[in-house]
Amino acid sequence: MSMTSITTKSGDAHDGAGSEFLAFTLGSEEYGIDILKVQEIRGYEAVTRIANAPEFIKGVINLRGIIIPVVDMRIKFNLGTPVYDQFTVVIILNIGGRIMGMVVDSVSDVTTLTPDQVKPAPEMGTAFNSDYLIGLGTIDERMLILVDIDKLMSSGEMGLIEKIAA
């Protein structure tokens, strides 16, 4: 299984030049998360189930000696029955020092968005509650739903991650 490692330069990403987002797909929608929260991207591998964990927590994996929870966003947001194939990836996130994995359909690219390319998200029927949205990123004909991954992963509804990983 090949792994892609992402290196991010430290420093202030908000220098007016724009912010970098990792674009990924869930179902027919394309989403973006702050690249600085992404530690690495891995192919999907079998996880160890945890008894009594909510269904969206696929289980845990051993990442170089650290046991991390893996959340399947497709199950969490009722985006149909997930299919695990060669495109399925696990995005390893580092959120406030807590490492966790997020299963998505595929990863497309890293995109830089300038502040004027990010529009406020309207109230709409996306899988994500608008509290967890930064806005909509527009690049030509393409639209990315920008997710505030910190807020989402530390939200009450995902709060079981704290208990399982502890």
Side-chain angles (χ1 to χ4, degrees):
M1 190 52 64
S2 68
M3 278 189 344
T4 310
S5 208
I6 291 186
T7 53
T8 52
K9 60 180 192 298
S10 59
D12 191 8
H14 303 288
D15 54 7
S19 301
E20 288 189 307
F21 292 90
L22 175 68
F24 63 90
T25 56
L26 286 174
S28 57
E29 304 293 341
E30 205 173 11
Y31 296 87
I33 55 173
D34 181 348
I35 191 70
L36 298 175
K37 307 294 178 200
V38 177
Q39 184 169 308
E40 66 185 80
I41 298 168
R42 303 170 60 92
Y44 183 77
E45 60 198 77
V47 297
T48 304
R49 287 287 297 156
I50 301 279
N52 302 321
E55 190 187 358
F56 66 86
I57 297 188
K58 285 300 295 176
V60 294
I61 59 172
N62 184 335
L63 183 70
R64 294 183 291 281
I66 303 168
I67 303 300
I68 62 166
V70 175
V71 174
D72 192 316
M73 291 306 203
R74 301 168 298 184
I75 296 172
K76 174 70 185 135
F77 296 110
N78 298 318
L79 297 171
T81 306
V83 175
Y84 300 94
D85 59 23
Q86 73 272 26
F87 301 111
T88 307
V89 291
V90 179
I91 300 172
I92 305 295
L93 300 167
N94 186 333
I95 297 184
R98 186 172 286 277
I99 311 293
M100 60 188 74
M102 173 173 90
V103 181
V104 299
D105 289 334
S106 65
V107 167
S108 25
D109 57 7
V110 175
T111 305
T112 301
L113 294 172
T114 58
D116 60 323
Q117 287 177 300
V118 178
K119 308 285 182 257
E123 283 293 329
M124 56 185 173
T126 62
F128 292 92
N129 177 324
S130 57
D131 294 349
Y132 309 133
L133 297 182
I134 296 166
L136 296 174
T138 52
I139 311 123
D140 303 321
E141 297 300 302
R142 196 171 158 207
M143 192 169 289
L144 284 184
I145 299 167
L146 304 177
V147 179
D148 184 333
I149 199 69
D150 285 279
K151 249 190 198 165
L152 177 67
M153 288 302 190
S154 57
S155 67
E157 59 194 82
M158 297 294 239
L160 293 135
I161 289 175
E162 302 293 316
K163 293 187 189 90
I164 288 173

